[in-house]
C-alpha cells in the first residue's frame, strides 16, 4: 500500500512538471494523472479481491507480493498511456497555433 501511495504522489508531481515545462495547465494535468492512477488502482484492487487471488496465493510469499503490487503497476501503466495522450494533444495544439 505504501508503494501505491508513493507512486501516486510521483505521478502527480511528474504530470505537474511535464505540463509546466510544455506551457500547459499544470493543475489540470496533475489532477487528471492522479485520478487516472487512483481509479485504475482501485478497479484493479477490487478485481483482485473479487477473484480471491490473494487466497489463491496460499503460503507463497513471492506470489502474494506480486498480487499486492499488481494494482499499483497497472495504475502506473495507465498513467503512462494518459501522459502519452496528453503529450500528443499538447503537440497538436501547438502545431495548430502556429
Amino acid at each position: 500500500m505504501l508503494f501505491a501511495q508513493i507512486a501516486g504522489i510521483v505521478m502527480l508531481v511528474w504530470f505537474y512538471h511535464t505540463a509546466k515545462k510544455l506551457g500547459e495547465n499544470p493543475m489540470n494535468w496533475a489532477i487528471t494523472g492522479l485520478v487516472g492512477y487512483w481509479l485504475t488502482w482501485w478497479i484493479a484492487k477490487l478485481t483482485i479481491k473479487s477473484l480471491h487471488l490473494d487466497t489463491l496465493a496460499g503460503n507463497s510469499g513471492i506470489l502474494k507480493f506480486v498480487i499486492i503490487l499488481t494494482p499499483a503497476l497497472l495504475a502506473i501503466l495507465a498513467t503512462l498511456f494518459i501522459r502519452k495522450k496528453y503529450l500528443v494533444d499538447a503537440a497538436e495544439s501547438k502545431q495548430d497555433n502556429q
Side-chain angles (χ1 to χ4, degrees), residues 6-98:
I6 291 171
I9 293 168
V10 168
M11 292 298 137
L12 175 82
V13 172
W14 187 34
F15 271 69
Y16 183 87
H17 284 291
T18 301
K20 198 171 181 181
K21 185 170 41 172
L22 294 174
E24 298 288 326
N25 183 351
M27 289 305 290
N28 185 25
W29 278 48
I31 291 170
T32 303
L34 186 64
V35 168
Y37 175 85
W38 285 114
L39 260 174
T40 307
W41 179 87
W42 185 68
I43 290 168
K45 182 79 170 171
L46 288 178
T47 302
I48 287 172
K49 285 244 185 236
S50 70
L51 295 175
H52 302 290
L53 292 178
D54 49 347
T55 58
L56 182 68
N59 292 332
S60 174
I62 294 173
L63 194 53
K64 282 185 179 182
F65 182 71
V66 169
I67 290 171
I68 289 170
L69 285 182
T70 299
L73 296 176
L74 290 173
I76 290 169
L77 185 63
T79 55
L80 290 174
F81 285 118
I82 293 168
R83 184 177 181 271
K84 184 175 182 177
K85 173 69 174 135
Y86 263 41
L87 289 172
V88 168
D89 289 349
E92 287 176 357
S93 77
K94 285 188 179 188
Q95 193 175 39
D96 289 344
N97 289 336
Q98 290 180 357

